[in-house]
Amino acid sequence: EIVLTQSPATMSLSPGERATLSCRASQSVSTFLAWYQHKPGQAPRLLIFGASKRATGIPARFSGSGSGTVFTLTISSLEPDDFAIYYCQQRSNWPITFGQGTRLDIK
Amino acid sequence: QITLKESGPTLVKPTQTLTLTCTFSGFSLRSREVGVGWIRQPPGKALEWLALIYWDGEEQYSPSLKSRLTMSKDTSKNQVVLTMTNMDPVDTATYFCAHELYDIMTGFNSFDIWGPGTMVTVSS
């Protein structure tokens, strides 16, 4: 099973700042990696698939990069609605696995 | 517009079998490359993938839960059913179903639309 390790576990930033979230895979997943945003009591929201492709309706301030084992989700300028938990997920090998999440808090 | 909604009991007793139904609209499980997955989230913990069923009947299960999980689909009712046997308090979680998108242009799969989730508590 491919293990995804996200860092940091928690980050505290202010609106307008740049957020850089990391996801590291225990073995190469090529670019078969997605990022999701999850708020309590809501359904997760797909942000990025194929490591760098924004899903439909996702603002341009969200960007993804990386390949192989190291991936980054960048939020260029945080808006109040962006404070949530972010998960990476690999779709390279069975079983599908998720990272443990990065909680993005308002500073 | 694709929507999904999970339904089932909110409380089950240990050792009982859980049956959850995902009712969806806006797509058909007769269509090529379409899948419906199940994911859960225990309170305060991360998302965990459970199972996925495809348009052609292919099923994939989490190895750690495979012996306890079964899925079925009813394309006429636009429903997918997940059963989990021998429930335990550690199975207490919010259970989500999700549409799996296969992007033909890029060849990537992802869960693009999720249901709101249903909370299941396992307790005697």
Side-chain angles (χ1 to χ4, degrees), chain B residues 14 18 20 32 34-35 39 63 83 86 90 92 116 122:
Chain B
L18 171 69
L20 294 174
R32 289 180 64 86
V34 172
I39 304 98
T83 60
N86 194 26
V90 299
T92 294
V122 185

Side-chain angles (χ1 to χ4, degrees), chain B residues 58-109:
Chain B
E58 177 189 352
E59 298 169 28
Q60 294 285 347
Y61 295 97
S62 168
S64 62
L65 294 166
K66 187 173 183 177
S67 63
R68 300 172 53 206
L69 294 175
T70 306
M71 275 185 302
S72 62
K73 60 182 175 74
D74 186 330
T75 52
S76 64
K77 291 183 179 180
N78 281 349
Q79 290 181 333
V80 170
V81 176
L82 178 77
T83 60
M84 181 180 291
T85 61
N86 194 26
M87 293 292 285
D88 183 272
V90 299
D91 297 313
T92 294
T94 298
Y95 287 75
F96 298 96
C97 63
H99 171 266
E100 187 179 75
L101 167 72
Y102 175 69
D103 187 275
I104 294 175
M105 296 295 291
T106 62
F108 293 113
N109 300 70

Side-chain angles (χ1 to χ4, degrees), chain A residues 1 31-34 36 38 41-46 49-50 53 87 89 91 94-101, chain B residues 39 41 45-49 52 54 58 60-63 96 100 103 106-112 114-116:
Chain A
E1 159 172 329
T31 52
F32 292 94
L33 189 107
Y36 299 85
H38 193 200
Q42 296 186 18
R45 177 190 183 197
L46 175 67
F49 66 97
K53 303 174 193 329
Y87 294 96
Q89 173 231 327
R91 194 58 179 83
W94 299 106
I96 294 170
T97 50
F98 288 87
Q100 83 279 17
Chain B
I39 304 98
Q41 183 180 38
K45 295 189 176 181
L47 298 170
E48 177 187 15
W49 172 73
L52 202 153
Y54 284 105
E58 177 189 352
Q60 294 285 347
Y61 295 97
S62 168
F96 298 96
E100 187 179 75
D103 187 275
T106 62
F108 293 113
N109 300 70
S110 55
F111 293 118
D112 64 330
W114 297 56

Side-chain angles (χ1 to χ4, degrees), chain A residues 66-103:
Chain A
S67 66
T69 62
V70 180
F71 300 87
T72 300
L73 174 71
T74 301
I75 310 171
S76 59
S77 178
L78 285 165
E79 298 200 356
D81 191 49
D82 298 338
F83 293 91
I85 300 175
Y86 291 84
Y87 294 96
C88 57
Q89 173 231 327
Q90 66 83 19
R91 194 58 179 83
S92 172
N93 288 19
W94 299 106
I96 294 170
T97 50
F98 288 87
Q100 83 279 17
T102 289
R103 178 185 298 275

